[in-house]
Amino acid sequence: MPGSTGFPRLSAVASLRPSPCVGAALVCAAAACAATAARAQVFIVQPEHIEQRYSQFDPTTVQLSGAPLTTVGRERLLRFLQAEQGFAMRPLPVGNLDLKANGSMEPNGEKYIDELHTKGICAKPGERVVVTDIKVRDNTIVLELNGGPDHKHKYLRHISIGMGQDDNPIVPDDGRPPAGSRLILVFPGRVPDLSGEQVEALLKPMVDFGVKSPAEAYAETLPNFIRKAILEHRVLIGMDRDMLIYAKGQPHRKVREQENGQPVEIWIYGEAPLPVEFVRLNGNYVIRDELGKVGEPLVVRNENEMGDYWGTQPVVAASQHEVQLGDRTAVDVSEQNAPKAPPTLRQPGEQLPTDNDKDRPTIQPTKFPPGMQRPGDPGYSPTVSAQQPASGSSPSANCPQPAAGSSPTPASGTSTCAAAPKTQANPPTPATQPATSTPPAAAAPQFVPSSR
């Protein structure tokens, strides 16, 4: 920290700054804890959908020269590829991808999917990428896309120089995490003498540098029948939102409705008197297409036109698991409103040694005798304390009656009348009463509310 070096005046300080991601994570964790305390929430954490075909890789067949790369050829190659723009042909991770010339890709298969899930996606298929840096080494050509996966200044960004409480960073840093990718083209032996067009041909399974529109670049990553529909701007039942946007663009209007209890989003293309197309989406997929023309009946299509394209399940790496948080999962409707037990750290059915320990009694709710409940006690009711007198007795039999013309209520505003001991109608005579008999117990006093 500034001043910790012991110098009285100018001091150079190298301090590690906390990453903004850590602060954001702490804030999110605190918010999650507060939300959990407020009410139970259930949500699912699952990996992003990665299609099965992206786990497969088809190598290229580009003829390469056996001569090594010359200095002039290296300069031409750098000038050709610098700031070159292309379109991603498959999801590119925020990390490194090794591509052997006319060979395989590393990582591939499930490891490639795990890389996407672990480090995130830099560019989806059809998205534009830019070459921001090129390095030609002994047997590799390294291309960084969209800034690369690492900070430009990995260590200097943590160092600052200052005096007192004011410190200035050596290099500017906005704190944003890197979101680029790095492609490493590996050659056997040394880098051969090749042109920029040959490098682009070797990288075509990953990035296509051809001049085309984003829709054309995205269509080339799809099967032929979907590619044809996108280039012809047609909608197929079963398309997802990305395909629909590349085929028709953004809609003129969007309407949200409920059909059979399911949320439906309607994308409207065109305005009368021109043809108007209504595309209905349920979730992420097109379920119905309606085309209306002036003077013609409405043309409706709702049958699947994608075949078994979505039949294969998305590839999920072995290290990815579905996580459910909350106190309740999917259960029968009859159990959804059942009372829930208080939160606990015990396993279901777990018993502790102190549960049945007589020396460790547990505190139970206080149970008052009938007629003595207070407001807030379990089972309290305003009529519980007002006990009905026993049959054959009158509540006013033992209370003095007020004189005529006097007030029926005492001046103090409280009742001083109490129930007298209960007596029998025909008490036994002393001759017949047993010697060992005990006097009858007095009845519990009854509280009679005041008239006030």
Side-chain angles (χ1 to χ4, degrees):
M1 297 303 294
S4 60
T5 56
F7 293 100
R9 297 182 181 275
L10 181 64
S11 61
V13 182
S15 60
L16 293 178
R17 295 184 175 180
S19 175
C21 298
V22 177
L26 294 177
V27 173
C28 294
C33 294
T36 305
R39 62 172 183 232
Q41 295 181 353
V42 177
F43 62 94
I44 297 176
V45 180
Q46 59 184 359
E48 188 171 354
H49 177 90
I50 305 296
E51 298 177 17
Q52 175 75 32
R53 54 193 178 88
Y54 290 130
S55 63
Q56 304 172 358
F57 185 82
D58 297 328
T60 58
T61 56
V62 180
Q63 296 295 330
L64 300 177
S65 173
L69 183 66
T70 62
T71 304
V72 177
R74 181 179 181 277
E75 296 297 331
R76 290 178 179 176
L77 187 62
L78 295 177
R79 287 196 299 265
F80 185 88
L81 294 176
Q82 186 64 43
E84 186 75 0
Q85 298 186 14
F87 296 93
M89 302 301 293
R90 61 176 58 241
L92 300 179
V94 183
N96 298 343
L97 280 180
D98 295 344
L99 179 62
K100 297 181 181 179
N102 295 327
S104 62
M105 174 188 66
E106 293 293 339
N108 57 8
E110 184 176 317
K111 294 182 179 179
Y112 167 70
I113 303 299
D114 187 45
E115 185 85 359
L116 295 172
H117 289 160
T118 303
K119 298 184 178 180
I121 297 178
C122 164
K124 296 181 179 180
E127 292 185 351
R128 189 185 300 273
V129 294
V130 181
V131 178
T132 55
D133 192 14
I134 310 168
K135 293 182 177 66
V136 180
R137 297 171 180 171
D138 293 339
N139 65 330
T140 59
I141 298 178
V142 182
L143 290 87
E144 292 194 356
L145 307 178
N146 296 346
D150 300 326
H151 287 282
K152 186 176 181 180
H153 302 282
K154 192 173 183 179
Y155 300 105
L156 294 180
R157 56 188 295 265
H158 297 287
I159 302 176
S160 59
I161 298 177
M163 180 175 58
Q165 296 182 354
D166 299 331
D167 56 345
N168 300 316
I170 294 179
V171 294
D173 180 35
D174 55 4
R176 292 181 299 178
S181 183
R182 180 182 293 119
L183 300 182
I184 303 176
L185 187 59
V186 183
F187 297 90
R190 298 180 64 86
V191 176
D193 190 11
L194 73 171
S195 62
E197 289 83 358
Q198 290 177 306
V199 174
E200 291 182 349
L202 293 172
L203 295 175
K204 190 170 183 180
M206 312 298 298
V207 179
D208 189 356
F209 293 95
V211 179
K212 54 176 66 69
S213 65
E216 293 174 347
Y218 177 75
E220 290 188 3
T221 67
L222 302 173
N224 293 332
F225 73 99
I226 304 178
R227 179 189 312 154
K228 183 179 179 181
I230 290 178
L231 296 180
E232 294 177 356
H233 306 289
R234 293 186 293 107
V235 179
L236 298 179
I237 306 300
M239 281 184 168
D240 60 4
R241 291 175 180 264
D242 293 337
M243 297 178 184
L244 179 59
I245 291 176
Y246 279 109
K248 301 291 293 185
Q250 292 292 341
H252 296 81
R253 287 185 298 160
K254 292 182 181 180
V255 179
R256 291 178 174 84
E257 295 180 353
Q258 291 280 341
E259 292 185 359
N260 300 325
Q262 297 292 332
V264 176
E265 191 172 345
I266 305 176
W267 291 16
I268 304 176
Y269 296 91
E271 295 181 357
L274 299 176
V276 181
E277 189 169 8
F278 304 88
V279 182
R280 297 175 182 262
L281 297 96
N282 184 5
N284 195 43
Y285 303 99
V286 177
I287 60 173
R288 186 172 179 176
D289 181 73
E290 302 173 350
L291 180 62
K293 297 181 180 180
V294 177
E296 298 182 9
L298 191 67
V299 180
V300 180
R301 295 183 295 114
N302 56 7
E303 298 293 335
N304 179 30
E305 299 174 343
M306 299 287 289
D308 59 349
Y309 179 79
W310 301 112
T312 56
Q313 296 295 328
V315 178
V316 179
S319 60
Q320 302 295 325
H321 304 280
E322 183 178 284
V323 179
Q324 289 189 352
L325 299 182
D327 58 350
R328 185 172 55 186
T329 59
V331 294
D332 297 336
V333 178
S334 60
E335 300 180 4
Q336 289 184 358
N337 296 327
K340 299 178 289 293
T344 179
L345 296 178
R346 298 188 184 186
Q347 297 292 338
E350 181 181 3
Q351 296 291 332
L352 297 180
T354 58
D355 289 348
N356 300 324
D357 191 355
K358 61 181 181 180
D359 296 331
R360 294 175 177 267
T362 58
I363 300 177
Q364 301 293 337
T366 304
K367 296 182 180 180
F368 292 92
M372 298 182 63
Q373 286 91 349
R374 298 170 299 178
D377 294 338
Y380 171 79
S381 175
T383 59
V384 171
S385 300
Q387 298 286 346
Q388 295 295 332
S391 58
S393 63
S394 174
S396 59
N398 300 317
C399 298
Q401 298 296 330
S406 63
S407 174
T409 305
S412 61
T414 59
S415 174
T416 58
C417 178
K422 190 181 296 183
T423 58
Q424 297 181 0
N426 298 320
T429 60
T432 60
Q433 185 176 4
T436 59
S437 63
T438 58
Q446 296 184 356
F447 174 75
V448 179
S450 172
S451 60
R452 295 182 61 183

